[in-house]
Amino acid sequence: MQITRFCPSIITPKSADVIATLEALGFERRHKKEGINNKNVTSVTMKNADGFSVIVVQSDRLPQDMITIQMNVRDFDEAYALLESKGFKNVQGDKITETSSSKSTMMASPSGFTITVTEHIRN
């Protein structure tokens, strides 16, 4: 399995506050994706001068912040199957989030930590 990115992701109802804090720490906005799952969900990828990435996801559906590991891969199905074989469960049930540029879902481990696995569609 080829992993192309492995970084923290903060899912929060207060993304402006989180982004302001990260900017104060030297992170800059690099990419923004809006309307995920046809909802008011926005993802902002941030990076600092040393190449560290953090993804901030605005979601009004959470009462407080949640941290997950963002794992971008070349083959979503391969990564999904590997995580399932380790006891991970899709937190969306059978749903996979598919957009014009990616395929993604959050997987929860038996102990409770989560990995959001994403394959970016390459043209």
Side-chain angles (χ1 to χ4, degrees), residues 31-62:
H31 177 71
K32 183 176 185 178
K33 188 174 195 176
E34 298 178 297
I36 300 168
N37 273 346
N38 296 319
K39 295 187 170 108
N40 187 24
V41 177
T42 300
S43 172
V44 176
T45 301
M46 303 185 74
K47 201 174 216 180
N48 75 359
D50 294 320
F52 292 108
S53 294
V54 178
I55 298 168
V56 180
V57 178
Q58 169 69 39
S59 176
D60 298 331
R61 296 175 26 198
L62 295 176

Side-chain angles (χ1 to χ4, degrees), residues 2-120:
Q2 184 179 4
I3 298 172
T4 59
R5 173 184 278 168
F6 200 83
C7 68
S9 182
I10 304 166
I11 306 167
T12 178
K14 297 180 179 180
S15 64
D17 294 344
V18 173
I19 289 169
T21 299
L22 291 170
E23 287 175 332
L25 293 170
F27 285 82
E28 297 178 357
R29 299 172 202 215
R30 294 296 176 106
H31 177 71
K32 183 176 185 178
K33 188 174 195 176
E34 298 178 297
I36 300 168
N37 273 346
N38 296 319
K39 295 187 170 108
N40 187 24
V41 177
T42 300
S43 172
V44 176
T45 301
M46 303 185 74
K47 201 174 216 180
N48 75 359
D50 294 320
F52 292 108
S53 294
V54 178
I55 298 168
V56 180
V57 178
Q58 169 69 39
S59 176
D60 298 331
R61 296 175 26 198
L62 295 176
Q64 63 189 38
D65 295 352
M66 177 181 177
I67 306 299
T68 186
I69 299 167
Q70 175 68 38
M71 182 173 74
N72 294 0
V73 296
R74 289 283 184 236
D75 186 329
F76 177 88
D77 296 328
E78 178 186 22
Y80 189 95
L82 182 132
L83 291 174
E84 268 192 325
S85 76
K86 301 297 182 189
F88 282 72
K89 303 286 185 206
N90 183 343
V91 302
Q92 300 186 94
D94 292 332
K95 186 175 186 314
I96 304 295
T97 300
E98 294 191 58
T99 69
S100 61
S101 62
S102 65
K103 185 176 181 180
S104 176
T105 198
M106 182 184 288
M107 305 285 289
S109 74
S111 64
F113 78 91
T114 60
I115 295 177
T116 300
V117 63
T118 301
E119 175 186 351
H120 289 285

